[in-house]
Amino acid sequence: MSLEELQTRLREFADARDWGQFHTPKNLAMALAGEAGELLEIFQWLTPEQSTDVMDEPERAEHVRQELADILAYLVRLADVLDVDLLAALSSKISLNETRYPVDRARGTAAKYDKLD
Amino acid sequence: MSLEELQTRLREFADARDWGQFHTPKNLAMALAGEAGELLEIFQWLTPEQSTDVMDEPERAEHVRQELADILAYLVRLADVLDVDLLAALSSKISLNETRYPVDRARGTAAKYDKLD
Amino acid sequence: MSLEELQTRLREFADARDWGQFHTPKNLAMALAGEAGELLEIFQWLTPEQSTDVMDEPERAEHVRQELADILAYLVRLADVLDVDLLAALSSKISLNETRYPVDRARGTAAKYDKLD
Amino acid sequence: MSLEELQTRLREFADARDWGQFHTPKNLAMALAGEAGELLEIFQWLTPEQSTDVMDEPERAEHVRQELADILAYLVRLADVLDVDLLAALSSKISLNETRYPVDRARGTAAKYDKLD
């Protein structure tokens, strides 16, 4: 299933429930950030190494998958109501970052990386 | 360009700069939430109505597109390092929510909607 | 009870449980942001007007109080492990903002306000 | 300067600029979460050990102090408009957690800690 098809499914899901009234860009941005907060809670007390193994335990792996899905759902809904082409936006941003962070200067440097966005 | 192709481009971008060392799941979850915070800042003082018109001003529209791209970038990187299929995860979540929120009971009800996740 | 006394209580609470090992600044920043995400979830589907009345319902009012307490708890812990004087930091920031946002230019202007931080 | 005095100063600061109109609980919750996102960005690429030394560099230390002040400012404003006594709320929450997390069972256990809130 493509991202475009999922966008349509999410729109139909919201429309069928008359939830469009709640889906202002402001509210969707809040919902997205709320889900990002739930994602943080999975990782907050883990060491970096433990965070790498987070999918080893099936129940927690499912929790992670659902949080990633929730974030993507609100991101896609927000792009939909704002009429933003998410894939094109990301493609442009990668091209921009390729110019901003030339390989020879950015290699292994968190200091540069800090300014990624 | 498909989401899968963008995932590959982002991986190659990080690998070429030896940034994999920074891309633990814990760090990527933080970066994603940080970007979600920047998105909030665009909308925080806007009325719901103003938030709907946020793309009318070209410079701000570009800002919004870049923030959405940043969030998607970290979400895709995180899914990549965790080996999660984002599109499949979202498809499953929508199916789950179709069961949880039957149209006849969920229509127009933020109270139900509150428990979406 | 003063903020300083609460800071001491929180430190003793953590020490008694040997939780200092989890309380790195990085982890506490994540926990704080996670709690801020939970706060967002209370308000995300409310209109601005509904958000003003959020304390009218006792159960929800208690929920709000607990979320504000959680955020303050992690903020105070973080300040403690970083040896930051929170009250002095806020006092300095207000003084700085009084210079940045002169009353005659900032009055009623969200545009200026946008740059508050 | 006490937290109560700072709360009054922040209220007068907002009133003098006619910013009360922007300070709905919904908007203040967003602003708080936006600042929490900025705090994350300071720590996101640091190892746990590096995060412990974040105050060693004076410019970054000042950045941290300002972010903590920004978070406290919005937290105090939000408590003010909701008429919540922040210090009393935190004191109650600590008492609640002392019951929830008995020292003998919670010692050194992130698993328990995970359910802190």
Side-chain angles (χ1 to χ4, degrees):
Chain A
M1 186 163 265
S2 73
L3 195 64
E4 290 81 357
E5 289 169 305
L6 290 165
Q7 179 159 315
T8 303
R9 252 181 98 188
L10 285 166
R11 188 190 311 137
E12 291 171 352
F13 183 92
D15 286 350
R17 285 154 189 80
D18 197 20
W19 285 355
Q21 59 183 308
F22 304 119
H23 286 190
T24 63
K26 184 180 177 99
N27 289 1
L28 289 167
M30 292 179 81
L32 197 166
E35 295 299 336
E38 293 189 27
L39 185 71
L40 286 177
E41 292 177 0
I42 297 177
F43 292 103
Q44 64 197 10
W45 308 122
L46 303 185
T47 64
E49 296 70 28
Q50 288 169 334
S51 87
T52 303
D53 299 332
V54 79
M55 305 304 280
D56 289 356
E57 199 273 299
E59 196 182 338
R60 192 158 60 174
E62 179 56 23
H63 185 189
V64 169
R65 273 191 297 270
Q66 291 212 17
E67 289 304 336
L68 297 184
D70 288 335
I71 294 170
L72 185 58
Y74 286 123
L75 183 61
V76 166
R77 276 301 288 153
L78 182 53
D80 197 26
V81 301
L82 293 175
D83 202 18
V84 168
D85 182 332
L86 265 185
L87 298 179
L90 178 50
S91 183
S92 296
K93 191 65 194 272
I94 298 174
S95 299
L96 179 66
N97 281 340
E98 284 167 346
T99 313
R100 275 194 194 164
Y101 304 97
V103 167
D104 56 335
R105 287 175 47 213
R107 196 190 308 271
T109 315
K112 287 274 174 276
Y113 195 60
D114 243 338
K115 282 100 191 172
L116 178 68
D117 330 292
Chain B
M1 186 163 262
S2 72
L3 195 64
E4 290 82 356
E5 289 169 305
L6 290 165
Q7 179 160 315
T8 304
R9 252 181 98 188
L10 285 166
R11 188 190 311 139
E12 291 171 351
F13 183 93
D15 287 349
R17 285 154 189 81
D18 197 19
W19 285 355
Q21 58 183 308
F22 304 119
H23 285 192
T24 63
K26 183 179 178 101
N27 289 2
L28 289 167
M30 293 178 81
L32 197 166
E35 295 299 334
E38 293 189 25
L39 186 72
L40 286 177
E41 292 177 0
I42 296 177
F43 292 104
Q44 64 195 12
W45 308 122
L46 303 184
T47 64
E49 296 70 30
Q50 289 169 334
S51 86
T52 303
D53 299 334
V54 78
M55 305 304 281
D56 289 356
E57 201 271 300
E59 197 183 338
R60 193 158 59 175
E62 179 56 23
H63 185 189
V64 169
R65 274 192 295 271
Q66 291 212 17
E67 290 304 335
L68 297 184
D70 288 336
I71 294 170
L72 184 58
Y74 286 123
L75 183 60
V76 166
R77 276 300 290 151
L78 181 54
D80 197 25
V81 302
L82 294 176
D83 202 18
V84 168
D85 181 333
L86 266 185
L87 299 179
L90 179 50
S91 183
S92 296
K93 190 67 192 270
I94 298 174
S95 299
L96 178 65
N97 281 340
E98 282 167 346
T99 314
R100 275 195 195 165
Y101 303 98
V103 166
D104 58 334
R105 287 175 46 214
R107 196 190 310 271
T109 314
K112 286 276 175 275
Y113 194 59
D114 244 338
K115 283 98 190 175
L116 178 66
D117 329 292
Chain C
M1 187 163 261
S2 72
L3 195 63
E4 289 81 356
E5 289 169 306
L6 289 165
Q7 179 159 316
T8 303
R9 251 181 99 189
L10 284 166
R11 188 190 313 138
E12 291 171 351
F13 182 92
D15 286 349
R17 285 154 189 79
D18 197 19
W19 285 356
Q21 58 183 309
F22 304 120
H23 286 191
T24 64
K26 184 179 177 102
N27 289 2
L28 289 167
M30 293 178 80
L32 196 165
E35 294 299 334
E38 292 188 27
L39 185 72
L40 286 177
E41 292 178 0
I42 297 177
F43 293 103
Q44 64 194 9
W45 309 122
L46 303 185
T47 64
E49 295 72 28
Q50 289 169 334
S51 85
T52 302
D53 300 332
V54 79
M55 305 304 281
D56 289 357
E57 199 273 298
E59 197 182 340
R60 192 158 60 175
E62 179 55 24
H63 185 189
V64 169
R65 273 192 297 270
Q66 291 213 16
E67 290 304 337
L68 297 184
D70 288 335
I71 293 170
L72 184 58
Y74 287 123
L75 183 60
V76 166
R77 276 300 289 151
L78 182 54
D80 196 26
V81 302
L82 294 175
D83 202 17
V84 168
D85 181 332
L86 265 185
L87 299 178
L90 178 49
S91 183
S92 295
K93 191 65 193 272
I94 297 174
S95 298
L96 178 66
N97 282 339
E98 282 167 345
T99 314
R100 275 194 195 163
Y101 304 98
V103 167
D104 57 334
R105 288 175 47 213
R107 196 190 308 272
T109 314
K112 286 277 174 274
Y113 195 59
D114 243 339
K115 282 100 189 172
L116 178 66
D117 332 291
Chain D
M1 186 163 263
S2 73
L3 195 65
E4 290 81 356
E5 289 169 306
L6 290 165
Q7 179 160 317
T8 303
R9 253 180 98 188
L10 285 166
R11 188 190 310 137
E12 290 171 352
F13 183 93
D15 286 350
R17 284 154 189 79
D18 197 19
W19 284 356
Q21 59 184 308
F22 304 120
H23 286 190
T24 63
K26 183 180 177 100
N27 289 2
L28 289 168
M30 293 178 80
L32 197 165
E35 295 299 334
E38 293 189 26
L39 185 72
L40 286 177
E41 293 177 359
I42 296 177
F43 292 103
Q44 64 196 10
W45 308 122
L46 304 185
T47 64
E49 294 72 29
Q50 288 169 335
S51 86
T52 303
D53 299 333
V54 79
M55 306 304 280
D56 288 356
E57 200 273 298
E59 198 182 337
R60 195 159 57 175
E62 179 56 23
H63 185 189
V64 169
R65 274 192 294 271
Q66 292 213 16
E67 289 305 336
L68 297 184
D70 288 336
I71 293 170
L72 184 59
Y74 286 124
L75 183 61
V76 166
R77 276 301 288 152
L78 182 53
D80 196 27
V81 302
L82 293 176
D83 202 17
V84 168
D85 181 333
L86 266 185
L87 299 179
L90 179 50
S91 184
S92 297
K93 191 64 193 272
I94 298 174
S95 298
L96 178 64
N97 282 339
E98 284 167 345
T99 315
R100 275 194 194 164
Y101 304 99
V103 167
D104 57 334
R105 286 176 47 215
R107 196 190 309 270
T109 314
K112 286 278 174 272
Y113 196 60
D114 242 338
K115 282 98 191 173
L116 179 67
D117 330 292

